[in-house]
Amino acid sequence: MTEAPAPEAAPDTVQPAGPTCNACGGRAAVQWQRRLTDTEFAAHLALEQQRRDERLRLADPQQPVADFGPLPTPADCVTPVFGCATHAITADAAALVHQKTCSAPDPARLPGCNCTPEPAPQPTPDPEPAPLPPGWS
């Protein structure tokens, strides 16, 4: 039995490969992150709890019980936001984590957004080098 080839899509209905702009659906040119909304976080937490419950249900009873650590908090979770070249924010703004209420990409506010992003994390200082052994200089 031979399978019939899949019909080809008309050129005007071809969807771009990869991520698409959250504003218009075009090909994404820039990405940034925002915190999850309360609804998104609740769904994420429910999936994580289901995953843990399933692992415990399927675990070998002769092995130690898995330690999953604490459940994630809203500060641990972000989701990607995409914008096309028309709906892009600045590179400096895209490097920061935005608030869960960020409406970017919003054409009325470009090249910015309607929130104050979180400050960039401070770089960790280089550790002090170990002292040299006696007699070394």
Side-chain angles (χ1 to χ4, degrees):
M1 173 165 97
T2 59
E3 294 183 28
E8 292 187 29
D12 59 340
T13 61
V14 174
Q15 295 295 319
T20 58
C21 176
N22 289 52
C24 68
R27 185 179 301 268
V30 66
Q31 173 192 347
W32 59 98
Q33 297 176 339
R34 69 165 172 79
R35 295 287 172 203
L36 298 178
T37 64
D38 294 338
T39 304
E40 290 169 333
F41 181 70
H44 173 69
L45 206 56
L47 284 173
E48 175 62 16
Q49 189 60 55
Q50 286 176 351
R51 182 190 70 84
R52 290 176 181 206
D53 293 344
E54 183 71 5
R55 295 248 348 248
L56 289 173
R57 188 181 68 77
L58 297 173
D60 184 347
Q62 296 178 352
Q63 296 295 321
V65 177
D67 177 20
F68 298 110
L71 285 169
T73 65
D76 299 328
C77 304
V78 293
T79 189
V81 180
F82 300 99
C84 63
T86 304
H87 298 114
I89 62 174
T90 64
D92 291 338
L96 304 173
V97 175
H98 292 247
Q99 297 174 3
K100 63 184 174 184
T101 57
C102 185
S103 66
D106 179 0
R109 300 184 185 273
L110 294 174
C113 65
N114 68 340
C115 79
T116 303
E118 297 174 8
Q122 296 299 319
T124 56
D126 290 335
E128 290 293 322
L132 293 174
W136 288 38
S137 51

